[in-house]
Amino acid sequence: LCHTNHNHGLEISVYWWRLILAYVFKDYGLAFEMIGKCQHFKKVGTFRGCLLFFYEGLVALAMARETTKRRKRRKYIAIAKKSIKNLGNFSRRNPSNFMDKLLLLEAEFAVFEGKLDDSVSKYDSAIMTAESEKFLLERAMSCERAGLAMEHFGKESLVAPYFVKAKNYYHEWGAHA
């Protein structure tokens, strides 16, 4: 509908929300496809353009974990590293909008590298920062990803507290199971 009516703004908004929901629901292939459709945000220099680096990094790390092909893994890791670098620049200029996202992305990278202590510290900081800046979705995502990381590292006693918080934050955000 939006494509046939030439409503480019609406079309991009649909792609944007499909990207976010695909990531939240762990459909990383679709999320990666939607990132491709949203690339023009990077050229515009908008807040969404900055956020695109965040989601691109998260999706790239998820794809790197899932692939068995070394070349693809290296490609995804390069994307994640570029996203971390860009978010670092954005967060230095505007920490209230980007620090929580940088910390979550760094936590995910630490998990990828097998660094338990670093990941726990980054997740907890991301959660606290998202809470102080009132970013509900990022708080929910940080808790969920922390729970998944603790599960990955075999820290079963730490899994449930993160998941309970994630469930509550997603509910507050408006998600209903």
Side-chain angles (χ1 to χ4, degrees), residues 43-83:
K43 296 177 186 119
V44 177
T46 63
F47 180 69
R48 271 195 188 168
C50 298
L51 286 180
L52 187 59
F53 282 106
F54 169 60
Y55 284 104
E56 190 172 43
L58 290 175
V59 172
L61 283 168
M63 299 286 281
R65 281 191 298 271
E66 289 184 349
T67 190
T68 57
K69 299 188 174 161
R70 292 174 74 150
R71 177 178 275 164
K72 281 189 173 189
R73 184 175 291 126
R74 281 195 302 269
K75 172 188 157 189
Y76 294 134
I77 294 306
I79 291 169
K81 285 180 177 180
K82 181 179 178 185
S83 294

Side-chain angles (χ1 to χ4, degrees), residues 10-153:
L10 178 59
E11 186 176 1
I12 294 301
S13 289
V14 169
Y15 293 146
W16 180 256
W17 285 105
R18 283 184 77 193
L19 159 62
I20 292 170
L21 292 172
Y23 178 77
V24 168
F25 287 104
K26 298 171 185 58
D27 187 345
Y28 304 125
L30 177 59
F32 200 72
E33 180 185 337
M34 292 303 105
I35 286 168
K37 301 215 182 249
C38 293
Q39 285 298 311
H40 90 282
F41 281 130
K42 288 181 181 175
K43 296 177 186 119
V44 177
T46 63
F47 180 69
R48 271 195 188 168
C50 298
L51 286 180
L52 187 59
F53 282 106
F54 169 60
Y55 284 104
E56 190 172 43
L58 290 175
V59 172
L61 283 168
M63 299 286 281
R65 281 191 298 271
E66 289 184 349
T67 190
T68 57
K69 299 188 174 161
R70 292 174 74 150
R71 177 178 275 164
K72 281 189 173 189
R73 184 175 291 126
R74 281 195 302 269
K75 172 188 157 189
Y76 294 134
I77 294 306
I79 291 169
K81 285 180 177 180
K82 181 179 178 185
S83 294
I84 290 170
K85 179 181 176 189
N86 282 307
L87 277 173
N89 291 335
F90 302 146
S91 68
R92 276 190 291 285
R93 286 182 289 202
N94 192 341
S96 62
N97 279 327
F98 299 109
M99 185 56 72
D100 63 312
K101 294 153 189 69
L102 174 62
L103 290 164
L104 175 53
L105 195 51
E106 288 176 340
E108 289 287 286
F109 199 83
V111 171
F112 183 81
E113 292 183 318
K115 298 177 178 176
L116 170 65
D117 293 339
D118 193 28
S119 69
V120 171
S121 171
K122 297 282 187 181
Y123 282 123
D124 289 343
S125 294
I127 293 163
M128 288 187 302
T129 304
E131 183 172 6
S132 71
E133 299 300 339
K134 309 291 188 239
F135 288 120
L136 197 51
L137 176 59
E138 288 81 355
R139 193 177 346 156
M141 288 171 44
S142 295
C143 288
E144 179 184 15
R145 299 307 303 182
L148 291 169
M150 296 311 103
E151 195 171 63
H152 169 79
F153 286 120

